[in-house]
Amino acid sequence: MPEIHLPIRTGRLVLRRFDGGDLDAFHAYHSLPETARFLPGPAKTFTQSMERVGRYANFVFEKEGDWVALAIEAADAPGLLGEVVLKWLPGRGQAEVGWTLAPAARGRGYGTEAANALLRLGFEELGLHRIEARLDELNGASASLCDRLGMRLEARHIDKWHYKGQWATELVYAILADEWRIGSRS
Ligand SMILES: CC(C)(COP(=O)(O)OP(=O)(O)OC[C@H]1O[C@@H](n2cnc3c(N)ncnc32)[C@H](O)[C@@H]1OP(=O)(O)O)[C@@H](O)C(=O)NCCC(=O)NCCS
């Protein structure tokens, strides 16, 4: 896998490696039930946030199962706004993308801008073939983000997950490298 050059700069954002100084801001939004609503586990305890920031800060992307985890910061103001992650899946050139923003950072297109940069990294630098996103059908904000990225709705798996005390229907969105190239030229 080629080396990942950080930070990545976009129009309004800097995507960089996490560091220990991000812990309080990370915990502030990951300790909220509202943030955890569509994430696998409950709202994070401080220990869980500490463990996660530590893992993100030290990520390596060398083999299947590894993650790229990038802290999102505004180019003109320091401070953690959220994160985007890319997981290397089994199979040739396969990965899954994910995103979380602090509540105050939502509604401005930062998630789309950061995820777009992560797709570019995945396709143009890491040579991936297909990137997917898996989400709860009730997570409308995430589905809209997939649409803005040009991802296709590929599958709807009824009652695929049981979490947060109820069954959830999973949507699978995906985009191929060729589709990305066509979309990014238009
Ligand atoms: C999923 C999540 C990241 C989406 O955040 P978001 O702010 O809705 O998405 P974006 O940052 O792309 O912003 C898009 C919104 O900003 C608006 N916007 C404003 N300026 C914009 C711009 N320059 N470009 C694009 N959108 C812009 C869009 O209209 C849209 O608002 P709308 O949904 O009211 O139409 C956020 O809801 C979240 O962190 N949720 C909790 C964690 C979670 O569920 N993660 C995903 C698990 S699958």
Side-chain angles (χ1 to χ4, degrees):
M1 219 8 105
E3 202 185 328
I4 296 173
H5 299 284
L6 299 178
I8 297 169
R9 295 181 189 281
T10 67
R12 297 177 295 170
L13 303 173
V14 177
L15 306 183
R16 58 161 176 80
R17 191 175 276 276
F18 271 83
D19 63 46
D22 293 316
L23 177 56
D24 287 344
F26 181 90
H27 185 61
Y29 64 86
H30 272 288
S31 57
L32 302 173
E34 177 211 333
T35 298
R37 169 67 184 88
F38 295 116
L39 298 176
K44 289 188 176 33
T45 63
F46 192 73
T47 306
Q48 288 169 330
S49 291
M50 210 158 49
E51 188 270 333
R52 183 60 65 97
V53 169
R55 261 202 285 154
Y56 281 177
N58 295 304
F59 83 77
V60 287
F61 198 69
E62 294 172 344
K63 59 183 186 316
E64 287 175 4
D66 284 348
W67 294 74
V68 175
L70 301 178
I72 305 170
E73 203 167 74
D76 58 359
L80 183 68
L81 299 178
E83 81 260 13
V84 280
V85 297
L86 186 76
K87 184 180 185 186
W88 188 340
L89 297 178
R92 183 165 167 162
Q94 306 290 315
E96 179 178 350
V97 68
W99 36 65
T100 301
L101 290 175
R106 295 177 199 163
R108 299 184 209 178
Y110 288 158
T112 304
E113 192 167 320
N116 213 41
L118 194 61
L119 294 187
R120 181 176 302 113
L121 172 76
F123 289 131
E124 296 185 8
E125 292 190 37
L126 303 179
L128 294 172
H129 177 69
R130 179 180 183 277
I131 298 178
E132 66 182 31
R134 292 176 175 268
L135 42 124
D136 187 321
E137 180 174 59
L138 300 180
N139 192 350
S142 242
S144 299
L145 209 161
C146 290
D147 287 336
R148 284 191 294 276
L149 291 170
M151 300 179 88
R152 280 173 292 99
L153 178 57
E154 277 195 344
R156 178 171 182 266
H157 298 141
I158 299 168
D159 287 359
K160 178 67 193 280
W161 304 325
H162 191 275
Y163 77 141
K164 310 285 153 74
Q166 60 190 26
W167 288 106
T169 292
E170 177 195 57
L171 299 183
V172 182
Y173 282 80
I175 184 166
L176 301 176
D178 284 350
E179 295 169 326
W180 162 262
R181 277 184 209 107
I182 291 165
S184 63
R185 274 201 302 266
S186 60

